[in-house]
Amino acid sequence: MSLVDRGTAPEQPARGRPRSEAVERAIIEGTMKLLEEGVPLAEISIERIARTAGVGKATIYRRWSGKEALFVDVLRAAEPDDPELPGTSMRDDLVVLLDTLRRRGLANRSSAILHNVHAQMKSSPKIWAAYHSSVIAPRRRMGLEVLRRGEQNGELRPGLDLELVNDIFVGPMLVRAVLRPDADLTEEDLAERIVDTLLDGLRPVS
C-alpha cells in the first residue's frame, strides 16, 4: 500500500498523470532527513522539503494538500502498521490492539523522529488536528467496534459505557508507553495480562 494511502487524503493528481510511489517515498524520506537533522517542524516548508527530496513543489502539492497532511504520513511511515484483527473473539482482538500500542510505545522510545515530532506537533493545532483525525480517531473507532461486537456476542456485560470501557482498556498501556518512560514495554504478554485482568470484572455474570 502506498504511504499516502494510510494518512490524510491528499489532493488527487491530474487525470492522466501517473502517481509514482518512488516519488512519494523520496518526499517522505526527504522530510524524515530534515527531522533527523533536528530541523523544527515550524521551519520545515514545502519548498525546503522539495529541495531535499529533489522534486518540485507542485509534485508535493499534487499528493498532499499541505505540510500538515504530509507530516501525518511521515509519522505513520515511522510507526508500526495498523493491526489485522483476528476476529476470533473480543478478547483476542483487544489483545492485538493493545499489543500494537505496546509496539508503538517501543517505536516512540527508539525513534528520534517520533519522539521529537510528537513533542513538537502538540504546539501546532493544525498538525495535531490532522494527526488526531486521521490516526488517533480511526484507532479509537476500531476499539469501540470490537467492544460493540463483544457486547452483541455476549462476551461483555450489557449496558456498559463502551467509551469509558475503551479508555479503561487502553489507559494502562498508554500510561506505560507515554507517561512512564521508565516502565517496561518489552514484556510480550503485557497486553494479554491487561485484557484478562479487566475482563474478569466486565464479563456477564453467569
Side-chain angles (χ1 to χ4, degrees), residues 1-43:
M1 177 167 51
S2 169
L3 288 171
V4 296
D5 292 338
R6 299 185 300 173
T8 302
E11 293 180 352
Q12 295 298 314
R15 180 170 299 202
R17 180 186 291 272
R19 288 173 56 170
S20 166
E21 187 165 340
V23 170
E24 294 167 3
R25 187 170 297 279
I27 294 166
I28 293 278
E29 290 177 353
T31 309
M32 286 184 173
K33 182 174 184 293
L34 292 171
L35 293 169
E36 286 171 345
E37 292 171 353
V39 181
L41 284 177
E43 296 178 16

Side-chain angles (χ1 to χ4, degrees), residues 19-163:
R19 288 173 56 170
S20 166
E21 187 165 340
V23 170
E24 294 167 3
R25 187 170 297 279
I27 294 166
I28 293 278
E29 290 177 353
T31 309
M32 286 184 173
K33 182 174 184 293
L34 292 171
L35 293 169
E36 286 171 345
E37 292 171 353
V39 181
L41 284 177
E43 296 178 16
I44 299 179
S45 64
I46 291 293
E47 184 175 11
R48 191 167 183 178
I49 294 168
R51 284 200 309 269
T52 304
V55 301
K57 288 195 295 183
T59 301
I60 296 177
Y61 282 118
R62 279 195 297 271
R63 291 159 172 81
W64 290 276
S65 59
K67 72 176 186 178
E68 292 81 14
L70 172 55
F71 285 155
V72 170
D73 274 353
V74 169
L75 283 171
R76 288 185 65 86
E79 292 187 354
D81 290 336
D82 286 337
E84 285 274 344
L85 299 183
T88 50
S89 68
M90 180 188 69
R91 185 260 183 196
D92 292 346
D93 287 350
L94 287 172
V95 168
V96 169
L97 287 175
L98 286 197
D99 196 60
T100 301
L101 280 180
R102 181 185 69 85
R103 289 185 290 108
R104 280 197 169 94
L106 288 171
N108 286 348
R109 292 180 184 181
S110 62
S111 168
I113 291 177
L114 288 174
H115 182 78
N116 293 334
V117 175
H118 278 156
Q120 291 183 59
M121 74 178 176
K122 291 186 179 179
S123 64
S124 172
K126 288 182 70 176
I127 296 175
W128 177 249
Y131 183 75
H132 187 277
S133 66
S134 66
V135 179
I136 296 176
R139 291 173 186 166
R140 183 170 182 81
R141 286 195 296 269
M142 188 183 297
L144 286 169
E145 181 57 32
V146 167
L147 293 173
R148 289 191 189 99
R149 289 199 303 269
E151 184 179 52
Q152 293 166 0
N153 296 337
E155 299 174 84
L156 196 64
R157 196 162 66 242
L160 295 170
D161 181 341
L162 297 186
E163 291 273 356

Side-chain angles (χ1 to χ4, degrees), residues 109 176 179-184:
R109 292 180 184 181
R176 288 204 176 201
L179 299 179
R180 290 184 54 204
D182 60 315
D184 188 9

